[in-house]
Amino acid sequence: MSKTLQGLILRCIGGFYYVEAADAVYTCRARGAFRKQGITPVAGDRVVITAQESGEGTLQEILERRNVLVRPPVANVDLLVLVASICEPVTNTLILDKMLAVAEYKGITPLVVVNKSDLQDPTPLMEVYQRAGLECFAVSTQDLPSLEPLRRRLSGCVSVFTGNSGVGKSSIINGLDPSLVLETGEISHKLGRGRHTTRTASLYRLADGYLVDTPGFSSLDLEMLESIDKESLPDCFREFEPYLGQCRFTGCAHYREPGCAVRQAVEAGVISASRYDSYVSMYESVKDKKEWEKA
């Protein structure tokens, strides 16, 4: 006897979709209609399934997505957790700002987590992003209580961790839930990650929410920046918002124009110079791009 349920895709492997619904996980196949419509189900999709008592099912419908990323392939992300390091290695703020821009563009709430606070004062880096209106957390995996505010913030959310290699993402996740890293490591081994990389993404329980684990765990799809047009880029820097529309010229790019309210805010120290420099670098990469090149 079958029943219709709403659920959440936890992972997609070899044409099978593992859907959490009604306190169980069903192994589902997708209807052929999705292929005909050019729709690919991904981890994080909220779906309607027809479930059998055997634990198998059929994916009938993908509910409306709030957002979707290509790499990692995941939908309905609540939080993008950008892990930075205050030392060893020192975080490249341009890369961090690019990832923040992608989050803002996709409608995903970004969190900045500054790791290794036991080795060096994280305040200068945190102040840059707090001034921009972003949530920041200073943590140390040598001081597990420092992870508690982050754990509370992740509760109930679907979160993607990203950051440069060596900043301590895995150590932070291990500190949040030691069993989770062990489990994902075992899954990764079974899937043959390493020499034979799979592009699947998986959701795992973390802090009453979900963590997205992916082979591209350390990277975000920065190619997404190529689809952000120059008119939309200022909206990806939330600290610019009070000054948009206040410039001398309509359609100001906040680049080299005189009378630019954003540039005046930078000169006054209200907007961080490093954040503005990142904006300029990103603007220069897209300002001459034609519409057909963004497709």
Side-chain angles (χ1 to χ4, degrees):
M1 182 176 179
S2 64
K3 52 187 174 181
T4 300
L5 301 171
Q6 285 194 17
L8 173 70
I9 296 180
L10 299 180
R11 60 190 62 89
C12 315
I13 303 174
F16 289 96
Y17 301 90
Y18 298 86
V19 179
E20 182 181 73
D23 298 321
V25 177
Y26 294 88
T27 302
C28 300
R29 286 282 196 178
R31 293 172 57 228
F34 293 122
R35 190 178 300 108
K36 294 176 183 177
Q37 296 167 6
I39 301 173
T40 302
V42 297
D45 270 326
R46 300 284 175 177
V47 296
V48 176
I49 66 171
T50 301
Q52 309 294 331
E53 291 183 0
S54 63
E56 299 180 340
T58 303
L59 203 161
Q60 300 288 350
E61 180 185 358
I62 299 174
L63 302 179
E64 184 177 359
R65 293 167 169 168
R66 290 185 289 108
N67 54 59
V68 63
L69 293 173
V70 177
R71 286 191 297 274
V74 61
N76 301 312
V77 177
D78 297 305
L79 301 174
L80 181 62
V81 183
L82 297 127
V83 181
S85 173
I86 197 65
C87 59
E88 302 175 7
V90 176
T91 291
N92 182 318
T93 55
L94 174 58
I95 293 176
L96 182 58
D97 290 334
K98 286 180 176 181
M99 292 189 288
L100 285 165
V102 171
E104 301 280 18
Y105 186 69
K106 300 297 291 186
I108 301 170
T109 299
L111 306 181
V112 177
V113 175
V114 182
N115 193 21
K116 306 183 183 181
S117 61
D118 58 310
L119 299 178
Q120 192 168 318
D121 182 10
T123 303
L125 182 61
M126 290 183 66
E127 284 182 343
V128 170
Y129 294 98
Q130 288 171 331
R131 196 189 317 171
L134 295 158
E135 293 181 78
C136 298
F137 298 82
V139 303
S140 167
T141 54
Q142 304 304 309
D143 176 22
L144 292 183
S146 72
L147 296 173
E148 280 306 311
L150 177 61
R151 188 199 313 274
R152 291 194 296 269
R153 182 63 180 89
L154 299 178
S155 180
C157 297
V158 175
S159 304
V160 173
F161 277 65
T162 189
N164 294 343
S165 178
V167 296
K169 296 177 298 297
S170 297
S171 296
I172 290 173
I173 294 166
N174 191 40
L176 291 168
D177 186 345
S179 68
L180 181 63
V181 170
L182 174 62
E183 179 183 24
T184 57
E186 291 172 349
I187 293 292
S188 297
H189 178 71
K190 290 175 183 176
L191 292 176
R193 291 184 187 172
R195 289 181 60 191
H196 306 289
T197 303
T198 174
R199 295 175 60 81
T200 190
S202 301
L203 269 61
Y204 296 93
R205 280 286 185 181
L206 173 66
D208 297 322
Y210 296 90
L211 165 75
V212 178
D213 174 41
T214 168
F217 195 71
S218 64
S219 63
L220 185 71
D221 187 6
L222 290 180
E223 285 79 4
M224 179 62 67
L225 280 171
E226 299 302 319
S227 67
I228 303 178
D229 57 69
K230 61 184 179 183
E231 287 78 20
S232 299
L233 188 60
D235 295 324
C236 298
F237 285 74
R238 58 177 64 186
E239 64 267 46
F240 288 12
E241 197 276 332
Y243 308 99
L244 301 182
Q246 304 300 315
C247 302
R248 181 187 304 174
F249 299 109
T250 302
C252 180
H254 322 296
Y255 180 49
R256 293 175 177 170
E257 300 88 342
C260 173
V262 170
R263 293 176 62 198
Q264 290 171 356
V266 175
E267 292 167 3
V270 180
I271 292 176
S272 165
S274 71
R275 285 278 288 169
Y276 179 72
D277 289 345
S278 293
Y279 168 80
V280 169
S281 177
M282 285 181 249
Y283 180 81
E284 289 177 339
S285 71
V286 301
K287 67 182 177 69
D288 297 322
K289 194 169 291 291
K290 304 294 187 290
E291 287 301 316
W292 61 268
E293 293 180 292
K294 300 173 188 173

